[in-house]
C-alpha cells in the first residue's frame, strides 16, 4: 500500500510495482521490445496489429523474449507455422528482410524472471509439441493423393437436404465449366482440375486440426504432388474473398470456381428454404453474394445474373424442395439488397442507387456504370433539371388510364408536338446505342438535347386534352420519351 498525490504520481508509483497502467504506453513498449528481440537473432517481427492489441491487454508489465524452434519445421506451410504461433501461443513470427520465415519467435511475458532464458526454453517446449503434432498430421496426409482425399468427401454431409460435400463438388464443377465457357474457354481443363481438387483438403488431418488454413493446405499438397502453380493457387484462392474487402482470386480460372462454388451454395440454400433472416446466416450467404458481386464488378465480367440463377437452379433441380420460379425471384431480391450495400459502400448516394437498380441490375457491371454516370451528372449540377423534366413526364403517365398506344403523327395539332417527335427521332437511336455500348456520358449528352424540347412541349401543350385520341397520342409521346430514360434509371427516385 502506498499514498499518491495525484494521477501522475499514481502512474509513476504503480509502474515501480511492475504494472504499466497506460495502455498506449504499454503498447508502444511491447512494440519496441518485440522489435529489439527479433533484431537480436537477425530478423524482424512479422507485423500483426491484431496480435499486438491482444497481447497489450493480456500483460501488465511486458517483457519480450525470443525463442527458437527446429529449422526442419520450416518445411511445413508458412501459414501453418504462423497460425500455430499466433492463435495458440500468442507468439510473434520472425522473418528475414525478404519476408521469409525464420525459425524464431518472440513471446511477451507478464513477468521479468531472474533468468529469462528459462522462460524462453519453456515456450520453446510448448511450441515444439504443437509443431510436432502438425508435422505428424502433415506426414500422414501425404500417404494419400488429393484425389483419394476427395473420395473422402462422399462420407461428409454438406447439408441433409443437399447431400454430401462430394455432391456439392460435382454440382459446382458443372457450374464452373459453364462459367469457363464464358470467361476463359481455352482453360476449361484447368478450371475443372481446380474444381475437382479444391475441397480435398477438408478431409485431411491437417485441416481437421487447423481449419483456419483450409485451401492453404490444399495448395501446398497440390504443389507437393506436382500440380502446376495455376492449379495449386486456384485451390487456395477459390475461397476468396473470405471477408469484406478481402483479396479476390488472381486468375480467371480461380474466378470460375469461386463463382461456381458460391452460387451453388446460395441457390442450394434458398432452394431448400435456408434463407438468412435477421442476424442468422449460418452458411454466410450474404458474404458469398457480396463475393460474387465484387468478382463480377472488379473483374469486369459481363455475366447475366438471370443466366447465373437459371444455370445453378437447373443443376440443383433434383434437390430443390421449392418452386424454381419462386426461388429465382427471391435470389434476385437478395442480390439486389447486397448490390445496394456494395454500391453504397463505394460512395454512391442512396437515391442514385435506388434509381439505378430500379431500371435493372441483371448486368451488375453495367449497373455500377449507370450509377457512376448519374453521379457525374449530379456533380456537374445537371441532374436536378434533367430529373425534374423526367419526373414531370412520368407523373403524367401515372394519370393515364389503359394501355399506352403508338404515336400517330397525323394526330399532332401543335408545333411543339411535332418538334418533340422530331427531336425524339433524332436522339433516340443515339441514346439507345449509347446504352448498348455502356457509354452513359454520351447518353446524358443526348438526353440534354431532348430535355429542352420536352420543357417546351410542357410549356405550350396540354397533355390531358379533351379529345380522347389527341390525349392518348400525347400520352404515347410521353411514354416514348420516358422509355429512353427508363433504360438507365428511374429518375422519379432522384432527390433534387
Amino acid at each position: 500500500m502506498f499514498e499518491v498525490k495525484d494521477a501522475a504520481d499514481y502512474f509513476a508509483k504503480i509502474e515501480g510495482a511492475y504494472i504499466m497502467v497506460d495502455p498506449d504506453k504499454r503498447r508502444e513498449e511491447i512494440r519496441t521490445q518485440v522489435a529489439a528481440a527479433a533484431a537480436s537473432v537477425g530478423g524482424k517481427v512479422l507485423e500483426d496489429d491484431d496480435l499486438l492489441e491482444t497481447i497489450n491487454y493480456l500483460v501488465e508489465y511486458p517483457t519480450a523474449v525470443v525463442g527458437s524452434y527446429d529449422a526442419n519445421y520450416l518445411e511445413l506451410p508458412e501459414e501453418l507455422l504462423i497460425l500455430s504461433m499466433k492463435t495458440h501461443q500468442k507468439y510473434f513470427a520472425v522473418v528475414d528482410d525478404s519476408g521469409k520465415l525464420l525459425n524464431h519467435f518472440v513471446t511477451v511475458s507478464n513477468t521479468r524472471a531472474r533468468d529469462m532464458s528459462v522462460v524462453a526454453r519453456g515456450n520453446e517446449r510448448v511450441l515444439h509439441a504443437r509443431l510436432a503434432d502438425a508435422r505428424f498430421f502433415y506426414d500422414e496426409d501425404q500417404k494419400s493423393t488429393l484425389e483419394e482425399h476427395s473420395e473422402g468427401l462422399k462420407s461428409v454431409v454438406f447439408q441433409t437436404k443437399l447431400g454430401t460435400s462430394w455432391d456439392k463438388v460435382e454440382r459446382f464443377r458443372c457450374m464452373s465449366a459453364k462459367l469457363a465457357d464464358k470467361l476463359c474457354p481455352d482453360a476449361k481443363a484447368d478450371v475443372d482440375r481446380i474444381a475437382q481438387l479444391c475441397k480435398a483438403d477438408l478431409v485431411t488431418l491437417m485441416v481437421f486440426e487447423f481449419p483456419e488454413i483450409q485451401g492453404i493446405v490444399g495448395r501446398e499438397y497440390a504443389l507437393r504432388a506436382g500440380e502446376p502453380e495455376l492449379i495449386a493457387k486456384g485451390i487456395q484462392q477459390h475461397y476468396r474473398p473470405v471477408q469484406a474487402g478481402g483479396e479476390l482470386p488472381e486468375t480467371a480460372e480461380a474466378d470460375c470456381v469461386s463463382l461456381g462454388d458460391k452460387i451453388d451454395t446460395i441457390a442450394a440454400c434458398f432452394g431448400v428454404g435456408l434463407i438468412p433472416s435477421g442476424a442468422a446466416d449460418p452458411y454466410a450467404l450474404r458474404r458469398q453474394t457480396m463475393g460474387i458481386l465484387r468478382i463480377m464488378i472488379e473483374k469486369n465480367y459481363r455475366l447475366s445474373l438471370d443466366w447465373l440463377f437459371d444455370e445453378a437452379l437447373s443443376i440443383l433441380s433434383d434437390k430443390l424442395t421449392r418452386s424454381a420460379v419462386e426461388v429465382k425471384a427471391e435470389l434476385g431480391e437478395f442480390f439486389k439488397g447486397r448490390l445496394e450495400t456494395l454500391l453504397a459502400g463505394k460512395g454512391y448516394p442512396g437515391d442514385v442507387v435506388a434509381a439505378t437498380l430500379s431500371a435493372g441490375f441483371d448486368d451488375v457491371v453495367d449497373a455500377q456504370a449507370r450509377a457512376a454516370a448519374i453521379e457525374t451528372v449530379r456533380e456537374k449540377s445537371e441532374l436536378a433539371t434533367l430529373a425534374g423534366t423526367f419526373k414531370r413526364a412520368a407523373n403524367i403517365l401515372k394519370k393515364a388510364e389503359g394501355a399506352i398506344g403508338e404515336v400517330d403523327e397525323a394526330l399532332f395539332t401543335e408545333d411543339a408536338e411535332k418538334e418533340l417527335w422530331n427531336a425524339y427521332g433524332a436522339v433516340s437511336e443515339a441514346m439507345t446505342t449509347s446504352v448498348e455500348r455502356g457509354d452513359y456520358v454520351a447518353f446524358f449528352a443526348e438526353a440534354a438535347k431532348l430535355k429542352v424540347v420536352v420543357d417546351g412541349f410542357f410549356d405550350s401543350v396540354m397533355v390531358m386534352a379533351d379529345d380522347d385520341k389527341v390525349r392518348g397520342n400525347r400520352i404515347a409521346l410521353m411514354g416514348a420519351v420516358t422509355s429512353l430514360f427508363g433504360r438507365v434509371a428511374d429518375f422519379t427516385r432522384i432527390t433534387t
Side-chain angles (χ1 to χ4, degrees):
M1 182 178 295
F2 52 82
E3 293 183 2
V4 296
K5 299 176 182 179
D6 50 33
D9 185 43
Y10 168 75
F11 280 110
K13 287 181 176 177
I14 199 73
E15 191 166 324
Y18 300 102
I19 298 176
M20 191 175 291
V21 177
D22 186 342
D24 293 331
K25 180 179 180 181
R26 192 170 61 242
R27 183 186 299 106
E28 292 311 307
E29 180 66 18
I30 293 171
R31 195 192 304 275
T32 300
Q33 287 193 30
V34 166
S40 71
V41 290
K44 59 182 181 180
V45 170
L46 184 64
E47 294 293 334
D48 190 325
D49 289 338
D50 290 338
L51 179 57
L52 175 63
E53 196 68 8
T54 298
I55 293 174
N56 188 38
Y57 290 98
L58 288 177
V59 300
E60 294 176 332
Y61 199 79
T63 303
V65 183
V66 66
S68 302
Y69 55 91
D70 192 329
N72 289 328
Y73 287 128
L74 292 174
E75 296 175 5
L76 296 172
E78 283 196 355
E79 293 90 345
L80 170 63
L81 297 174
I82 295 169
L83 179 70
S84 295
M85 287 185 274
K86 172 184 176 177
T87 304
H88 300 288
Q89 305 304 135
K90 305 298 184 291
Y91 298 164
F92 287 96
V94 178
V95 297
D96 62 17
D97 290 337
S98 65
K100 184 178 180 181
L101 206 62
L102 299 176
N103 63 316
H104 298 287
F105 65 89
V106 178
T107 184
V108 180
S109 174
N110 195 35
T111 59
R112 187 183 296 278
R114 290 192 181 91
D115 186 354
M116 294 304 294
S117 65
V118 174
V119 177
R121 287 195 297 273
N123 282 277
E124 288 171 348
R125 283 194 297 272
V126 173
L127 182 60
H128 171 78
R130 183 163 293 278
L131 295 183
D133 286 344
R135 185 55 185 259
F136 171 77
F137 299 141
Y138 185 81
D139 291 341
E140 285 297 302
D141 285 340
Q142 301 311 308
K143 295 177 181 178
S144 300
T145 64
L146 279 176
E147 288 89 345
E148 290 169 337
H149 284 303
S150 291
E151 290 288 325
L153 295 171
K154 293 179 178 179
S155 60
V156 178
V157 176
F158 171 66
Q159 203 279 331
T160 52
K161 295 179 182 179
L162 297 169
T164 65
S165 292
W166 173 272
D167 296 330
K168 174 172 173 53
V169 169
E170 289 303 294
R171 288 197 304 268
F172 75 71
R173 279 181 72 180
C174 181
M175 189 69 229
S176 298
K178 293 176 181 293
L179 286 158
D181 282 334
K182 293 181 174 292
L183 304 183
C184 51
D186 295 334
K188 287 188 66 174
D190 290 331
V191 169
D192 186 65
R193 186 62 173 167
I194 294 170
Q196 178 190 4
L197 300 178
C198 66
K199 302 297 186 183
D201 67 352
L202 295 181
V203 292
T204 62
L205 292 172
M206 188 70 85
V207 170
F208 182 81
E209 181 69 16
F210 304 99
E212 300 94 331
I213 56 172
Q214 63 186 32
I216 294 170
V217 170
R219 179 200 68 198
E220 291 299 309
Y221 288 4
L223 289 172
R224 185 183 178 99
E227 294 286 344
E229 186 174 355
L230 174 72
I231 304 300
K233 284 188 173 182
I235 290 171
Q236 177 193 357
Q237 295 177 8
H238 89 281
Y239 286 107
R240 293 181 178 177
V242 296
Q243 60 187 12
E247 292 181 299
L248 301 183
E250 296 176 0
T251 65
E253 292 85 350
D255 288 334
C256 289
V257 181
S258 179
L259 291 169
D261 182 18
K262 290 175 174 59
I263 191 58
D264 174 77
T265 300
I266 298 163
C269 286
F270 270 73
V272 297
L274 299 174
I275 302 172
S277 59
D281 188 7
Y283 291 91
L285 303 188
R286 295 186 182 96
R287 175 176 60 78
Q288 296 195 64
T289 299
M290 290 291 277
I292 289 175
L293 294 173
R294 281 193 57 212
I295 290 172
M296 292 171 66
I297 289 175
E298 295 180 34
K299 298 294 189 75
N300 199 37
Y301 290 149
R302 307 298 293 269
L303 295 170
S304 161
L305 287 180
D306 191 65
W307 171 85
L308 194 68
F309 299 156
D310 282 340
E311 295 297 334
L313 292 171
S314 175
I315 295 169
L316 280 158
S317 59
D318 64 333
K319 298 292 184 183
L320 300 179
T321 61
R322 306 171 64 229
S323 162
V325 174
E326 181 182 2
V327 172
K328 181 178 176 181
E330 290 175 347
L331 287 173
E333 286 303 307
F334 190 71
F335 270 70
K336 181 181 180 182
R338 305 285 76 70
L339 185 55
E340 287 174 346
T341 301
L342 183 61
L343 293 177
K346 290 176 175 287
Y348 297 109
D351 62 334
V352 170
V353 173
T356 300
L357 301 190
S358 292
F361 56 93
D362 186 55
D363 180 342
V364 297
V365 174
D366 180 72
Q368 177 174 267
R370 285 184 280 124
I374 294 170
E375 189 60 13
T376 298
V377 173
R378 169 174 275 168
E379 289 171 356
K380 294 179 180 178
S381 301
E382 299 171 357
L383 184 59
T385 54
L386 193 61
T389 297
F390 176 85
K391 287 179 181 180
R392 191 173 179 183
N395 288 334
I396 290 173
L397 292 178
K398 287 181 181 179
K399 299 176 183 177
E401 298 179 357
I404 298 176
E406 298 292 328
V407 176
D408 183 352
E409 295 181 67
L411 293 174
F412 291 154
T413 62
E414 303 288 342
D415 289 341
E417 293 175 279
K418 299 175 184 178
E419 290 175 8
L420 178 55
W421 182 243
N422 290 335
Y424 168 83
V427 303
S428 60
E429 183 177 350
M431 289 176 74
T432 299
T433 300
S434 297
V435 170
E436 292 170 350
R437 292 177 178 175
D439 185 356
Y440 296 108
V441 173
F443 173 88
F444 281 112
E446 296 296 327
K449 299 176 184 177
L450 192 59
K451 174 198 174 300
V452 176
V453 186
V454 173
D455 288 343
F457 173 85
F458 283 134
D459 290 341
S460 59
V461 174
M462 176 66 70
V463 176
M464 295 308 202
D466 293 332
D467 186 288
D468 291 343
K469 290 184 178 180
V470 172
R471 181 174 65 252
N473 198 53
R474 290 173 180 175
I475 289 173
L477 182 56
M478 287 293 92
V481 171
T482 56
S483 67
L484 290 176
F485 288 84
R487 295 185 64 182
V488 173
D490 178 359
F491 285 91
T492 63
R493 292 177 174 265
I494 295 293
T495 302
T496 55

